[in-house]
Amino acid sequence: MSEIEQSKRDFITFMVRAGVLTFGDFVTKSGRKTPYFVNTGNYGTGAQAAKLGETYARCIHERIGKVDALFGPAYKGIPLATATAVALHTLYGEDVGYCFNRKEAKDHGEGGNMVGCRLKDGDCVAITEDVVTAGTSVRETLPLLQKAADITIAGLIVSVDRMEKGVHGKTAIEELYEDFGIRTYPLVTVREVLAALHNTEIDGRIVIDNAMKARMEAYMKEYCSEN
């Protein structure tokens, strides 16, 4: 097994142990009933935040390069951006700004709906998110970023690419690139999750048995790209 493959398996195991990657009956933001779900809101310790930030930071450093700021869409993207900014400084000495949006604009004090560093024209910004399903969250937050300043989106970093088709039949990642020129950098894909966890025991239990594998494959056949 290559170092990259082992790193991905380690991250998948980390998500399972943190209760972030779960299996059962769920509904995605796009309304699809799914047998697997990713919820980074379940991270709850400093150690988990540190490991998560380090993993995102390595992805940015190795695949994107230098950025001026990180943007974390409310709410789950907020701790991702914060932890990643800390890790970029700790691991690489890069002092990167981070910011996020409020769900509702503040009507007192300084006002507005952005919190954190002030984006400025020419900034290169990376977006930190938990998962890509249909690309809905990114499409909703792009106008906020474009209103804040004339910036360049360096890329979107997500924990898991669900590899699902978006609104026009192509994958959500393909559509985000075609519509906005945004490249997505997933730490792992759902197919890598299935390959890593099928009949694999983690802490005394099989996470994906044959029955769950069949459910996942049926869902992926209906909604996911073959690539």
Side-chain angles (χ1 to χ4, degrees), residues 64 73 125-129 131-132 138 153-158 173 176 182-186:
I64 295 177
V125 180
I127 302 174
T128 56
E129 261 282 33
V131 67
V132 171
V138 176
I153 304 297
L156 166 67
I157 303 91
V158 297
I173 283 180
L176 287 175
I182 298 175
R183 294 189 182 278
T184 302
Y185 302 92

Side-chain angles (χ1 to χ4, degrees), residues 16-17 21 23 200-208:
V16 171
R17 285 176 168 157
L21 175 59
F23 303 88
T200 298
E201 188 175 289
I202 296 180
D203 299 332
R205 66 187 179 97
I206 299 295
V207 180
I208 299 178

Side-chain angles (χ1 to χ4, degrees), residues 147-159:
K147 183 179 179 180
D150 183 14
I151 64 170
T152 298
I153 304 297
L156 166 67
I157 303 91
V158 297
S159 291

